[in-house]
Amino acid sequence: EVQLVESGGGLVQAGGSLTLSCAASGFDFAHYSAGWFRQAPGKEREAILCFSSSSESTWYGDSVKGRFTISSDDAKKTIYLRMNSLKPEDTGIYYCAFQDYYNTYSLSDCGVLEGWGRGTQVTVSS
């Protein structure tokens, strides 16, 4: 059974940092694409970051560019989202998406990945 579980969310002050984790069980973790999405209160879910391991390319949403980065630990089959200089508008539920043997070429491509986690809440206080 494939499963994605996000963790690491919480309450942080504006200007602070937080690292989210996405543990991918049941996946091969090979030639994968991974994405992070955010759903702010009252808004639709938006893609904020998409990564293709095949091309080692990363695409960023404008709202997080220069502040958020993605990394991975292939041995642990875990994807990380490092968030720096957090702002109150970064508040929301953060979801990871993942798919093996799938290449992506743009931020929006991550929207069709098959595996999704249930999300973790991030709240940034002003």
Side-chain angles (χ1 to χ4, degrees):
E1 178 186 6
V2 296
Q3 190 176 24
L4 295 172
V5 178
E6 302 95 337
S7 62
L11 175 64
V12 62
Q13 286 190 331
S17 298
L18 207 58
T19 298
L20 305 183
S21 301
C22 174
S25 60
F27 292 92
D28 291 343
F29 222 76
H31 304 292
Y32 61 85
S33 287
W36 285 95
F37 294 74
R38 173 174 68 201
Q39 186 164 20
K43 295 187 178 181
E44 293 186 355
R45 186 164 59 188
E46 63 168 335
I48 58 174
L49 192 152
C50 184
F51 172 75
S52 168
S53 70
S54 297
S55 63
E56 296 189 350
S57 297
T58 305
W59 295 271
Y60 299 89
D62 289 341
S63 63
V64 305
K65 199 173 298 182
R67 300 186 300 124
F68 291 11
T69 56
I70 190 172
S71 62
S72 67
D73 184 330
D74 290 4
K76 294 183 178 179
K77 294 189 178 181
T78 301
I79 302 290
Y80 302 97
L81 177 67
R82 175 66 177 178
M83 305 184 293
N84 295 324
S85 302
L86 283 162
K87 306 174 182 179
E89 51 263 43
D90 293 318
T91 294
I93 301 174
Y94 283 71
Y95 301 88
C96 67
F98 187 91
Q99 187 168 337
D100 284 315
Y101 308 105
Y102 190 84
N103 206 2
T104 48
Y105 301 92
S106 69
L107 181 65
S108 61
D109 280 352
C110 271
V112 301
L113 299 182
E114 293 183 344
W116 288 80
R118 293 187 175 186
T120 185
Q121 175 71 46
V122 172
T123 303
V124 184
S125 63
S126 57

